[in-house]
Amino acid sequence: MTSFPYIIAIHLVFGLGLGIIMHRSDFCMAGMFRDVFLLNDYYRMRSLLLLIVLTSLLLYLGRISGIVASYPPSFFGTPSITNLLGGVIFGTGMVLAGGCAVGTLYKMGAGNLVSLFAFAGMIFGSLLFAELYAFNLSLTDATTMTVNKTSAEHIVGNAGLPVLALTAFAAFFFYRWIKEKKWIEKTYAHGHLLPWKAAMLIALITMLSFILSGRPLSVTSGFAKLSAYLGEQISPVYIADKPFFREDSLRLLNSTVTSGRLGTGIDSIALTQVPMIAGVVIGSFVSAVRLREFRIGHLPPLRQILSALSGGIMMALGSLMAGGCNVWHIMGGLPVFALQSLLFVSGLTAGSYFGTYMLRRIVV
Amino acid sequence: MEKSFENVVLDIRGQICPACLLITLREINNNMARLRSGWTRLIVKTDHRDATRTIPSAATAMGYDINIVKKEGFYEITIEHKK
């Protein structure tokens, strides 16, 4: 059950699922934050909240029933300033890039050239981060905020309390929004999947990921690995020389492979994140083709290209600094109340506000 | 002499995420007098799926009629004065 082809296949399928679901429902987290600041439009953001609360509830139920084994979440470390800073940088970058980490992937798969440039920026930014790796490590160590506590439940002292409080609080608003008919807005695009339905499906996928691999989904390390492969073609010496690409940064529970380096080579990242990245791109490509909406060919204005490139670079830097991208922290960390993720998302919110401002002033 | 219909075409395919609504709103405002006269239509070509939610919603709220047609690989949204 834990053979290499199986792990690769599972994560490819997760990616395909995410790619199709997000493409059909426009579930881009960058867009969600940006729409709030730019247009005072909370429509898609509500579904993100639904996703977080649902995932949180599912994981808690899984944990008390024993299906989900990985508690307390060991892969979320103690919080430091780098989570916050990384979040700010990531938040700014994702708005400038026109899409978050997965958003960029699914838009690229559907033929959007802006996101192709953002993707290139993310690869390049991952390479750049190798230079900052040591500095980031020492900054992280120097600003660690707790000794042992990694989740809000450690602070509260009770595992169920945060979940139940969140669920109760959210249920009140969710119900009100049903009454106010705020869960549905008319969208004329063909094959549209309502965001709230997408949220439910994505919560299920996250749950599956926890059950099968013991950890949430992520793509950041996958990007770093891809950048290493690319970098090695250009300058093997550069890659081999960087500790960032040599060190062991990943542990996969419930699997025979228990470590992962960000450099080239087969390890848990190659088996999980890279197939996921491929899956998202292929999934959205197939989704777009089936709707006959796949099209490449409209080159965006130069300003937008530059915005996407720099946004992509910032996303890579921000997520590598903070130990994960928006998928990892928002979809995986917030539901388990990881302190790192709370910091990251705070930073991301501020960053996306700033990014929206920059977008408005300079880009569009 | 009969006045003929004028179409202002806004081709914003392939652009960055929020550009669609912003540029469209800007164009609506630029052409407001001509649109309100009833002789001008704004035709927006976009491949951005969420724009098929935001543009109709905004245009309708501003008092215009909209019509959406799916073309090969993109959506065409026509905005004109209410009849």
Side-chain angles (χ1 to χ4, degrees):
Chain A
M1 273 294 257
T2 51
S3 64
F4 285 14
Y6 173 74
I7 300 176
I8 294 177
I10 285 287
H11 286 86
L12 186 67
V13 169
F14 284 159
L16 288 171
L18 282 182
I20 297 174
I21 294 169
M22 288 177 152
H23 176 251
R24 293 285 168 118
S25 62
D26 284 298
F27 208 88
C28 175
M29 292 187 222
M32 291 169 180
F33 281 87
R34 187 203 59 231
D35 284 354
V36 164
F37 295 126
L38 190 62
L39 308 165
N40 219 37
D41 177 5
Y42 288 83
Y43 177 61
R44 293 190 285 171
M45 178 63 83
R46 284 185 206 112
S47 293
L48 184 64
L49 296 174
L50 177 63
L51 171 62
I52 295 169
V53 174
L54 268 180
T55 308
S56 179
L57 199 55
L58 279 176
L59 289 178
Y60 180 65
L61 292 174
R63 167 192 189 173
I64 54 180
S65 67
I67 326 175
V68 176
S70 57
Y71 269 75
S74 57
F75 33 79
F76 287 101
T78 50
S80 350
I81 211 97
T82 46
N83 300 121
L84 187 67
L85 273 178
V88 175
I89 297 174
F90 186 91
T92 312
M94 75 178 186
V95 174
L96 289 174
C100 59
V102 213
T104 297
L105 290 175
Y106 86 70
K107 286 171 203 208
M108 191 174 91
N112 187 297
L113 284 179
V114 172
S115 292
L116 183 63
F117 285 105
F119 179 79
M122 287 175 82
I123 297 286
F124 182 64
S126 302
L127 281 172
L128 255 179
F129 183 76
E131 301 292 334
L132 300 170
Y133 180 58
F135 167 71
N136 192 58
L137 271 183
S138 46
L139 183 62
T140 305
D141 286 337
T143 60
T144 307
M145 298 175 188
T146 68
V147 176
N148 255 324
K149 306 189 201 305
T150 61
S151 163
E153 61 182 59
H154 295 152
I155 297 185
V156 167
N158 180 304
L161 202 54
V163 183
L164 296 175
L166 178 68
T167 307
F169 186 71
F172 171 74
F173 285 100
F174 290 173
Y175 179 69
R176 194 160 98 172
W177 292 338
I178 295 178
K179 289 265 139 189
E180 294 173 344
K181 296 194 178 12
K182 290 196 165 166
W183 288 106
I184 303 180
E185 264 184 34
K186 177 107 185 96
T187 304
Y188 292 85
H190 288 197
H192 181 67
L193 177 68
L194 285 170
W196 71 262
K197 294 184 186 175
M200 297 212 168
L201 292 170
I202 297 173
L204 280 176
I205 294 182
T206 305
M207 177 66 166
L208 278 173
S209 175
F210 263 92
I211 295 176
L212 295 174
S213 73
R215 56 196 286 121
L217 301 166
S218 180
V219 296
T220 316
S221 305
F223 271 100
K225 211 173 212 348
L226 287 173
S227 78
Y229 276 115
L230 189 66
E232 227 174 48
Q233 307 307 314
I234 302 172
S235 168
V237 171
Y238 177 83
I239 301 291
D241 183 50
K242 296 276 171 273
F244 173 58
F245 293 114
R246 279 206 311 269
E247 286 176 12
D248 184 338
S249 62
L250 197 71
R251 300 221 164 275
L252 225 188
L253 306 173
N254 303 353
S255 161
T256 53
V257 178
T258 55
S259 73
R261 295 172 314 118
L262 292 175
T264 56
I266 302 297
D267 54 23
S268 61
I269 299 177
L271 297 180
T272 60
Q273 296 196 21
V274 176
M276 232 199 72
I277 292 177
V280 175
V281 178
I282 297 172
S284 62
F285 172 73
V286 168
S287 172
V289 165
R290 295 220 45 181
L291 288 173
R292 300 175 62 169
E293 285 175 20
F294 180 79
R295 218 153 177 247
I296 314 178
H298 286 90
L299 202 63
L302 181 64
R303 281 189 182 198
Q304 294 184 13
I305 294 178
L306 293 174
S307 179
L309 275 171
S310 48
I313 293 174
M314 290 173 81
M315 279 204 281
L317 292 176
S319 57
L320 287 166
M321 265 184 85
C325 60
N326 60 303
V327 176
W328 175 261
H329 282 295
I330 297 183
M331 282 168 48
L334 282 188
V336 300
F337 306 96
L339 296 170
Q340 282 189 337
S341 306
L342 288 165
L343 281 179
F344 181 79
V345 177
S346 309
L348 182 148
T349 308
S352 58
Y353 178 80
F354 181 59
T356 303
Y357 172 77
M358 299 262 285
L359 195 75
R360 187 97 216 235
R361 287 298 306 273
I362 303 177
V363 183
V364 177
Chain B
M1 186 182 72
E2 190 160 319
K3 201 164 173 209
S4 58
F5 247 131
E6 191 193 356
N7 289 335
V8 176
V9 178
L10 193 55
D11 189 342
I12 48 177
R13 290 176 283 178
Q15 297 210 11
I16 201 172
C17 217
C20 320
L21 183 62
L22 289 181
I23 294 179
T24 305
L25 288 176
R26 197 183 293 161
E27 279 305 302
I28 292 179
N29 283 322
N30 288 345
N31 291 291
M32 203 163 0
R34 292 151 77 196
L35 279 169
R36 293 217 178 278
S37 77
W39 290 104
T40 302
R41 278 196 294 238
L42 184 61
I43 299 181
V44 182
K45 298 186 182 184
T46 177
D47 52 8
H48 200 241
R49 291 168 60 83
D50 199 48
T52 66
R53 171 181 67 94
T54 54
I55 294 180
S57 168
T60 313
M62 291 167 87
Y64 296 99
D65 265 349
I66 55 112
N67 187 44
I68 302 195
V69 176
K70 179 166 179 177
K71 296 280 174 91
E72 198 61 41
F74 65 98
Y75 291 90
E76 195 173 87
I77 305 174
T78 304
I79 302 172
E80 56 190 330
H81 186 61
K82 250 191 184 11
K83 303 232 168 24

